[in-house]
Amino acid sequence: MQKKAVLFDLDGVLVTTDDCHYRAWKQMADEEHIPFTRTDNERLRGVSRMASLEIVLEKAARAYSEEEKLALAERKNRYYVQLIRKLTDAAILPGARETVIRLREAGVLTAVASSSKNARLILTQVGLIDLFDAIIDGTQITKSKPDPEVVLKAAELRHKKPQDCIVVEDADAGIAAAKSAGMYAVAVGNAHGGDLHYSGLDSVDLLKLAVGKETK
Ligand code: B16
Ligand code: MG
């Protein structure tokens, strides 16, 4: 049996950056007098930066020009980068590092497929950057999830067919991307529509899925 490759989403699967995203959007929104709550922030999970901004602006009192929107997104990103530069390995989600290491020891290819343009910075900051055979992030794609571009590119980079890939995702848009690419989808957290659903990487038997071996 051919070993599968495992393509991990970043935010919400390997690391938790929700709070950094929330605080950065909140600062920008407060400055613009736009209401923004943690519940609103949940809707931004897995969604690209500009698409996230459109969601934030749904509650704005006035319309913003395209130029203003770019400036708002850049401002939010400046606040976000200041916060993620302070991240440590405490931001790694339970079971994430152990799962990736166990897969690699078994000869399974591991990749990151993230919408974030800051993915490499985050992976470096938390000390996971060397654990992946391929990293495709928001700087390398033209179409965001639910488009399958990000997962297809990660698979292509390692010469893997879609049917030999397992995607692990915490966002509905990412599950949709995996399914439309023809990949097996493992949903974690609040994501829906996967072939399997688990609370997090500490409860997933990914090695069993990837090579058919028991891990525990
Ligand atoms: P950036 P993922 C996504 O990462 C985040 O979940 C989402 O909240 C964010 O808006 C998006 O990246 C873009 O991030 O502004 O850093 O480019 O879950 O696909 O790893
Ligand atoms: Mg995510």
Side-chain angles (χ1 to χ4, degrees):
M1 183 177 135
Q2 162 116 55
K3 283 176 189 163
K4 298 194 185 295
V6 182
L7 316 184
F8 293 91
D9 173 57
L10 180 61
D11 294 331
V13 172
L14 296 172
V15 299
T16 173
T17 49
D18 306 38
D19 192 56
C20 297
H21 276 299
Y22 169 73
R23 287 165 59 197
W25 282 122
K26 180 73 179 154
Q27 186 172 345
M28 189 281 282
D30 283 354
E31 287 164 0
E32 295 297 314
H33 308 291
I34 301 168
F36 184 71
T37 65
R38 285 190 183 271
T39 309
D40 296 326
N41 193 53
E42 277 301 303
R43 290 178 60 202
L44 313 183
R45 206 175 267 277
V47 177
S48 72
R49 194 180 307 164
M50 291 311 289
S52 296
L53 176 68
E54 294 295 343
I55 294 173
V56 174
L57 293 182
E58 283 173 11
K59 291 187 180 171
R62 68 168 178 94
Y64 286 80
S65 69
E66 290 310 309
E67 203 181 344
E68 285 177 310
K69 286 180 187 175
L70 279 176
L72 290 181
E74 274 171 27
R75 200 200 306 171
K76 179 267 174 177
N77 192 55
R78 276 202 307 280
Y79 300 150
Y80 181 61
V81 169
Q82 281 169 12
L83 294 169
I84 58 178
R85 283 197 189 283
K86 294 181 201 148
L87 286 180
T88 66
D89 61 2
I92 299 174
L93 284 165
R97 185 198 293 276
E98 297 76 8
T99 298
V100 178
I101 289 173
R102 199 175 295 155
L103 289 168
R104 290 171 68 80
E105 283 172 355
V108 176
L109 287 178
T110 56
V112 171
S114 167
S115 303
S116 175
K117 294 184 174 169
N118 296 298
R120 283 170 191 274
L121 172 60
I122 295 165
L123 286 166
T124 304
Q125 199 62 39
V126 301
L128 292 178
I129 190 87
D130 295 328
L131 291 185
F132 298 95
D133 300 293
I135 298 171
I136 299 290
D137 64 23
T139 66
Q140 293 154 280
I141 53 171
T142 54
K143 287 166 270 171
S144 246
K145 302 166 188 176
D147 189 281
E149 184 182 8
V150 68
V151 285
L152 287 174
K153 276 202 166 174
E156 272 164 31
L157 203 60
R158 302 310 307 190
H159 312 291
K160 283 282 177 187
K161 294 183 191 135
Q163 63 266 33
D164 291 326
C165 295
I166 299 168
V167 173
V168 190
E169 256 291 347
D170 73 315
D172 292 355
I175 296 290
K179 295 317 295 172
S180 89
M183 298 177 180
Y184 194 84
V186 174
V188 297
N190 294 324
H192 303 93
D195 296 293
L196 287 173
H197 182 272
Y198 293 92
S199 56
L201 282 180
D202 49 348
S203 60
V204 186
D205 214 349
L206 276 178
L207 190 59
K208 190 174 170 190
L209 283 175
V211 298
K213 276 190 198 160
E214 294 288 344
T215 58
K216 289 171 188 164

